[in-house]
Amino acid sequence: MFRPLAFALGFVLLCVPPLLAHGPTPQRADETITINAPPDVVWQLVSAFGDIGTWQKLVKKVVATGGNAAGAERTLTLEKGEITEGLDEVDAAGKRISYRLLKENVDVFPVSFYTGSIEVKPAAAGSEVVWSARFYRADTTNEPPEDKNDQAAIDAMTGFITEGLKGLKDKAEQP
């Protein structure tokens, strides 16, 4: 005998678990610093895509190809290993670059994918630099381990950006 109520309840119970399951949500990190140097000086440092190792202290070594134009790539050696990034866009007039992760290494940097941008703007004291990134955690399953979850990704990305901005400031403000 067909029981509509039992059928409907069974159908709902089958559908609810997939609706409750979800993957990772995108995360973001946005940091800003004021640098006592003209925007053109700061832009020269930022736009030299393969030279990030001269001011980002967390980068131990850089191998770059393609120069400073869209399509360029750089492999960054960090403390625990390498990741590779690609340059998406260079807007010289707007003093803004955009890049993305091309080759992940979640044991080195706990994110599975990211895009980033660095923009240099005029400010009263010289320049304002805004570094932004959008990213996903290293483990995109529903229950990631602590070292590859959202917080680990946020901490890693924010730390990388913050240290980069400090190094950029130090480099740009050198006499």
Side-chain angles (χ1 to χ4, degrees):
M1 176 162 125
F2 180 71
R3 295 183 183 215
L5 183 58
F7 178 76
L9 181 58
F11 181 75
V12 168
L13 290 175
L14 285 173
C15 292
V16 168
L19 293 174
L20 294 176
H22 60 83
T25 56
Q27 302 300 317
R28 60 186 296 160
D30 299 295
E31 300 294 326
T32 302
I33 196 166
T34 301
I35 297 176
N36 295 320
D40 288 340
V41 169
V42 178
W43 173 245
Q44 185 175 10
L45 294 169
V46 168
S47 65
F49 190 66
D51 291 343
I52 188 173
T54 65
W55 50 268
Q56 170 47 285
K57 295 172 183 155
L58 298 178
V59 174
K60 308 300 181 195
K61 177 183 168 187
V62 181
V63 175
T65 60
N68 297 319
E73 294 184 11
R74 64 186 179 195
T75 299
L76 308 179
T77 301
L78 305 177
E79 185 176 327
K80 296 180 182 179
E82 297 178 346
I83 58 173
T84 301
E85 298 178 331
L87 183 58
D88 289 334
E89 181 182 18
V90 179
D91 176 0
K95 292 183 174 49
R96 183 177 187 275
I97 66 167
S98 300
Y99 63 96
R100 75 182 54 247
L101 179 66
L102 295 178
K103 183 178 177 190
E104 72 180 35
N105 185 339
V106 297
D107 294 322
V108 172
F109 201 68
V111 298
S112 60
F113 178 76
Y114 61 78
T115 59
S117 66
I118 305 174
E119 184 174 6
V120 180
K121 303 174 182 180
S127 302
E128 179 183 81
V129 179
V130 179
W131 193 337
S132 300
R134 306 295 174 263
F135 51 95
Y136 287 92
R137 67 181 179 236
D139 185 326
T140 58
T141 64
N142 287 336
E143 296 184 31
E146 206 169 287
D147 65 334
K148 293 182 176 60
N149 66 15
D150 286 338
Q151 194 59 54
I154 292 166
D155 292 347
M157 186 63 75
T158 301
F160 187 83
I161 290 172
T162 300
E163 286 303 309
L165 288 173
K166 287 178 190 174
L168 182 62
K169 179 178 176 71
D170 291 346
K171 180 86 171 175
E173 291 180 353
Q174 286 181 355

